[in-house]
Each structure stands twice: as structure tokens, then as C-alpha cells.
């Protein structure tokens, strides 16, 4: 098994969470194969430069998520990942730290553009009516329900596009960005701007114009991504 490089822990978040994230980075690096035993608690304590209870807590958390299998008197083994495990990691914001925020935001933006085009190509009467209802909800719902209505519009696009892989990937990304970063940074648009962004997306999908749908979503994602990254940079500074 490849040697685990020393990890420098930065005190930006609770120590056990930071150790968990660094261990995930290691497990996802390709240096560890499913079924491999990972270094012992004592070895990890020395490598990470943290105390043993913190390492134990991190290992327990990753075992609960399904990444690690703890065998009594034998050690701890990497179980590998499947789509369900990865989704839970995205939901909890553990796959990427702040250093990966830009990549996550960019990936989400690109996938949303693809999904908008697919939705326009695959649209049907029922799908368009559902999307219309989601847009109406964005316009008429109370302010506190607007983020959920916004997410529901994008989820309806994903369903209409008909690609379950893209739909599920975006579901995890949206949850991570919303709960992991937007709620921490306050990177929100005015309600009017947010609603107005979605009108041309709906119209293009309803018309079956994939090119226009992609262009409208790209404009929406460009503004949203710039606001989020600016908020993150200000927070880090």
C-alpha cells in the first residue's frame, strides 16, 4: 500500500471534521484500493499531528458513511465508494474543502447548462406544465420559501432532461453549495434578479430551443457563480 503523506491540518473548521476531510482526500486519491487496510490510529495520529481521540472520531464518522470498515483486532479497511456514498459526502460537504469551491461551482454551472439543453430537447406537455408551475411558485411564494422554490425549478429541469446520472449529480452539488456555502456566506441574489434569470430558461425549454436554453442557463450560472465566489473570497480574506 502506498505511504500516506503527512497532512497539514489547518484550523479553519472543527478538528475532527478537518481530519475526516483530509482522510477522504487520501482515500479518493487512488493510492488506496478497495479492500486495502489503512494506517492504524497510532500511525495516523503521528502522520496528522493530532491526538488519538480526534483520529478515532474521524474514522468512526467515515465508517458510518460507508467509506471504511472497522474490523475488531484486524484494523480499518477502505470499502470503496458507490454513488450513494458519494452523494452523502456531497450532501455533508466533506468531499471538498474551501480550496475546491471554485471547481465545484464551475462543475455545477457546466452541468446545469447541459441539463437545460437536454430538457429543451426532451420536453413534453406535462414537463413544461410542471416547469411553469415551479416558475409560478418562485414568483408567488413567501420570501423564506424562495430558495426551496428555486431549487425545485432546477430539479424539475433535471427530471425533464431524462438523464438520471446528471440529475443525481446536480442534486448533490446543489445541496452542498446551498447548505455548505450559500448559507454560510450569504451569497444570495435579490429575489427579482433570481426570478428574472429563470424566465428565459423556461421560455426556451417550452419552445424546445436547446441552444437558447443553454445560453439562458449559462447567463444565469455566470452571475450566480461570480456572486458565490466573491462571497467566499471575502469570507476567507
Amino acid at each position: 500500500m502506498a505511504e500516506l503523506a503527512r497532512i497539514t491540518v489547518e484550523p479553519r473548521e472543527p478538528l475532527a471534521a478537518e481530519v475526516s476531510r483530509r482522510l477522504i482526500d487520501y482515500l479518493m486519491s487512488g493510492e488506496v484500493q478497495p479492500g486495502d487496510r489503512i494506517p492504524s490510529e497510532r500511525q495516523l495520529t503521528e502522520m496528522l499531528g493530532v491526538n488519538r481521540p480526534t483520529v478515532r472520531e474521524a474514522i468512526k464518522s467515515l465508517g458510518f458513511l460507508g467509506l471504511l470498515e472497522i474490523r475488531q483486532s484486524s484494523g480499518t479497511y477502505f470499502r470503496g465508494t458507490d454513488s450513494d456514498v458519494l452523494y452523502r459526502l456531497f450532501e455533508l460537504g466533506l468531499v471538498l474543502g474551501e480550496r475546491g469551491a471554485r471547481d465545484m461551482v464551475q462543475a455545477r454551472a457546466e452541468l446545469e447548462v447541459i441539463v437545460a439543453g437536454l430538457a429543451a430537447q426532451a420536453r413534453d406537455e406535462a414537463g413544461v406544465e410542471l416547469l411553469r408551475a415551479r416558475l409560478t411558485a418562485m414568483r408567488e411564494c413567501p420570501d423564506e420559501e424562495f430558495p426551496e422554490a428555486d431549487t425545485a425549478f432546477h430539479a424539475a429541469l433535471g427530471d425533464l432532461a431524462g438523464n438520471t446520472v446528471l440529475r443525481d449529480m446536480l442534486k448533490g452539488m446543489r445541496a452542498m453549495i446551498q447548505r455548505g456555502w450559500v448559507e454560510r456566506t450569504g451569497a444570495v441574489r435579490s429575489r427579482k434578479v433570481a426570478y428574472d434569470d429563470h424566465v428565459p430558461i423556461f421560455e426556451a425549454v417550452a419552445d424546445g430551443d436547446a441552444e437558447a436554453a443553454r445560453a439562458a442557463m449559462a447567463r444565469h450560472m455566470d452571475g450566480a457563480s461570480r456572486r458565490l465566489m466573491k462571497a467566499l473570497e471575502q469570507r476567507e480574506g
Side-chain angles (χ1 to χ4, degrees), residues 133-180:
R134 296 288 185 262
L135 187 65
T136 299
M138 289 179 67
R139 185 180 69 241
E140 298 179 354
C141 71
D143 288 346
E144 63 272 16
E145 296 178 9
F146 187 80
E148 183 178 348
D150 187 336
T151 297
F153 179 93
H154 285 270
L157 271 179
D159 288 336
L160 187 54
N163 187 303
T164 58
V165 173
L166 287 173
R167 181 198 66 195
D168 292 347
M169 287 175 65
L170 278 169
K171 182 179 179 181
M173 289 180 176
R174 290 187 202 111
M176 179 177 176
I177 289 171
Q178 178 65 32
R179 292 204 290 271

Side-chain angles (χ1 to χ4, degrees), residues 92-153:
L92 294 171
L94 289 172
V95 171
L96 298 174
E98 288 180 342
R99 71 186 183 196
R102 190 174 303 277
D103 288 346
M104 172 63 76
V105 170
Q106 181 184 31
R108 185 257 171 130
E110 295 292 340
L111 291 181
E112 293 280 13
V113 170
I114 293 171
V115 163
L118 291 175
Q121 292 172 348
R123 87 207 187 292
D124 55 23
E125 185 176 347
V128 170
E129 287 309 306
L130 176 60
L131 204 59
R132 189 192 308 276
R134 296 288 185 262
L135 187 65
T136 299
M138 289 179 67
R139 185 180 69 241
E140 298 179 354
C141 71
D143 288 346
E144 63 272 16
E145 296 178 9
F146 187 80
E148 183 178 348
D150 187 336
T151 297
F153 179 93

Side-chain angles (χ1 to χ4, degrees), residues 59-116:
I59 289 175
K60 184 178 179 181
S61 296
L62 299 191
F64 175 76
L65 288 170
L67 273 177
L68 297 177
E69 179 184 358
I70 303 168
R71 302 177 190 171
Q72 296 298 327
S73 304
S74 177
T76 302
Y77 294 78
F78 179 41
R79 296 182 62 183
T81 58
D82 56 29
S83 58
D84 183 58
V85 170
L86 287 174
Y87 174 68
R88 279 180 283 168
L89 292 175
F90 277 127
E91 283 249 287
L92 294 171
L94 289 172
V95 171
L96 298 174
E98 288 180 342
R99 71 186 183 196
R102 190 174 303 277
D103 288 346
M104 172 63 76
V105 170
Q106 181 184 31
R108 185 257 171 130
E110 295 292 340
L111 291 181
E112 293 280 13
V113 170
I114 293 171
V115 163

Side-chain angles (χ1 to χ4, degrees), residues 195-215:
Y195 173 78
D196 289 348
D197 273 3
H198 289 74
V199 173
I201 298 171
F202 166 74
E203 291 175 345
V205 171
D207 290 342
D209 190 334
E211 183 177 352
R214 288 191 292 266

Side-chain angles (χ1 to χ4, degrees), residues 12 93 96-106 108 173 176-188 223-237:
R12 290 185 175 182
L96 298 174
E98 288 180 342
R99 71 186 183 196
R102 190 174 303 277
D103 288 346
M104 172 63 76
V105 170
Q106 181 184 31
R108 185 257 171 130
M173 289 180 176
M176 179 177 176
I177 289 171
Q178 178 65 32
R179 292 204 290 271
W181 295 328
V182 173
E183 292 177 2
R184 279 165 39 201
T185 64
V188 295
S225 298
R226 282 189 286 104
R227 279 184 291 272
L228 179 56
M229 293 314 306
K230 182 177 180 180
L232 281 167
E233 290 166 2
Q234 290 174 343
R235 182 176 182 272
E236 291 173 5

